[in-house]
Amino acid sequence: LTVTTYLEPAAWGVWQLPAALLPAGYPRLVQAAGGTAVLLPPDAPEAAGEVVSRLDALVVAGGADVEPVHYGAEPDPRTGPPARERDAWELALIEAALSTATPLLGICRGMQLLNIHLGGTLVQHLDGHTGGPGTFTHHEVKPVPGTLLSTLTPETAAVPSYHHQAVDRLGQGLTACAHAADGTVEALEAEGPAWTLGVQWHPEMGHDLRVMEGLVAAATSP
């Protein structure tokens, strides 16, 4: 399974250099679910189709706020600085994955990008879905019966969460398949036979493997 990465300044040993990096929870979750993790740094958007054609499945990881220009909005003062190279690359990857029915999992920012790609919008700020700067919180998420997500995690469960933005208007062909107690959309899935799911929480920060196991199964099925 291939996981997208950040492109950020980083320091290790005597080095301070730009780095393609990813919290270790992502590859560990893939490995624990039975997959092999391959990391994919930002690249030219026009390369996305060829790249996705070689993948068994794609995970679009969490990270920076998506630039509001992608859904026709002005930035809220509380919206973070843009990651334009990553926005363009990951939107192109999502388009390629959808067009080829490549199994796709969007996590946090990845779910929001899926919604935006299909014409949806975001709420640029809400409170109560983090534990403070750099600290995850947990809150309950209730799956919608009859959805793909409910076949993987049918019960209401506490999930690790860290986000201040959320889905507003749903993109075309997307179904909200889980909600938080305050009504926030916590998961999306796409219509059609392809395995396409987005979750607003961070499964890589917990111990529940079921969503990632679902992606691994979809990637390895005939």
Side-chain angles (χ1 to χ4, degrees):
L1 275 67
T2 301
V3 188
T4 62
T5 71
Y6 299 57
L7 190 61
E8 299 285 349
W12 65 98
V14 299
W15 303 105
Q16 293 188 9
L17 293 169
L21 56 85
L22 189 71
Y26 287 96
R28 287 173 180 165
L29 182 67
V30 171
Q31 293 159 356
T36 299
V38 177
L39 306 190
L40 183 63
D43 204 334
E46 54 268 25
E50 181 180 356
V51 169
V52 169
S53 71
R54 303 176 183 179
L55 306 184
D56 294 322
L58 175 67
V59 179
V60 181
D65 293 343
V66 182
E67 190 170 15
V69 68
H70 291 293
Y71 49 97
E74 292 294 323
D76 183 280
R78 295 163 293 187
T79 294
R84 294 189 175 106
E85 184 176 4
R86 193 174 170 199
D87 284 355
W89 171 236
E90 291 180 350
L91 285 166
L93 289 174
I94 289 169
E95 179 178 12
L98 292 175
S99 67
T100 58
T102 300
L104 170 65
L105 173 63
I107 294 176
C108 196
R109 164 191 163 89
M111 182 183 105
Q112 295 169 4
L113 280 167
L114 172 63
N115 189 58
I116 290 165
H117 173 68
L118 292 172
T121 62
L122 301 183
V123 176
Q124 290 194 49
H125 184 78
L126 75 168
D127 295 314
H129 288 251
T130 77
T135 303
F136 284 81
T137 189
H138 284 76
H139 63 76
E140 287 196 340
V141 167
K142 183 176 182 179
V144 175
T147 60
L148 168 62
L149 181 68
S150 71
T151 68
L152 302 170
T153 59
E155 75 284 355
T156 298
V159 297
S161 175
Y162 190 91
H163 63 95
H164 80 112
Q165 299 193 330
V167 165
D168 186 8
R169 186 181 71 238
L170 288 176
Q172 185 175 5
L174 292 174
T175 298
C177 52
H179 297 88
D182 63 3
T184 299
V185 174
E186 287 286 338
L188 295 173
E189 58 191 60
E191 299 171 357
W195 200 103
T196 304
L197 180 65
V199 296
Q200 184 59 71
W201 67 89
H202 284 266
E204 80 282 2
M205 296 303 297
H207 303 289
D208 191 334
L209 304 179
R210 290 176 292 176
V211 168
M212 189 60 72
E213 287 175 337
L215 181 64
V216 171
T220 57
S221 63

